[in-house]
Amino acid sequence: MYKIAVMGDYDSIYGFASVGLTTFPVEEETSTEEAARLLRQTAESGYGIIYMTEHLAARLDREVKKYASQLMPAIILIPGVQGNTGKGVEQVRKSVEQAVGSDILFGGEE
């Protein structure tokens, strides 16, 4: 069975520990290189799903894109306490469009 991780600032992710998910706090003071290394270590440690705050994903955009073409881990963006940027919803929309061949929100007519 694969494990599930949550990455982002502490205030955004600490509640996920109460439902048994492993949390990896990454604060603003954490360098981008250190955060990218933590993502790589998490991905290589048997985590099948990594929930990540949109804010952190924006900082690690290049690293996150490396995993987009891989089967695992699935990186799923979630809003954090900084607010919702819409990037997570856009990611899901693109995945569904790719899977079904049509944009489910706009009926394929953009």
Side-chain angles (χ1 to χ4, degrees):
M1 179 183 275
Y2 295 102
K3 302 178 282 185
I4 301 174
V6 185
M7 296 180 70
D9 61 280
Y10 179 80
D11 290 338
S12 296
I13 69 168
Y14 73 94
F16 288 94
S18 66
V19 294
L21 304 183
T22 307
T23 57
F24 294 96
V26 179
E27 299 299 335
E28 282 294 319
E29 304 82 42
T30 306
S31 71
T32 301
E33 294 80 20
E34 188 176 335
R37 185 170 23 84
L38 179 60
L39 173 58
R40 286 190 301 273
Q41 288 173 342
T42 304
E44 294 168 3
S45 298
Y47 287 90
I49 299 173
I50 301 173
Y51 290 103
M52 181 181 294
T53 60
E54 293 173 335
H55 184 71
L56 178 59
R59 285 181 55 198
L60 301 177
D61 189 55
R62 188 172 10 156
E63 196 73 28
V64 170
K65 285 180 180 175
K66 289 179 185 177
Y67 293 102
S69 62
Q70 296 181 15
L71 184 59
M72 286 196 320
I75 298 178
I76 301 170
L77 305 185
I78 58 173
V81 295
Q82 296 92 352
N84 184 355
T85 66
K87 188 165 174 122
V89 172
E90 178 65 17
Q91 181 189 46
V92 170
R93 186 187 68 76
K94 285 181 180 180
S95 295
V96 171
E97 183 177 353
Q98 184 179 21
V100 300
S102 178
D103 187 333
I104 61 171
L105 296 178
F106 299 105
E109 302 172 16
E110 284 190 39

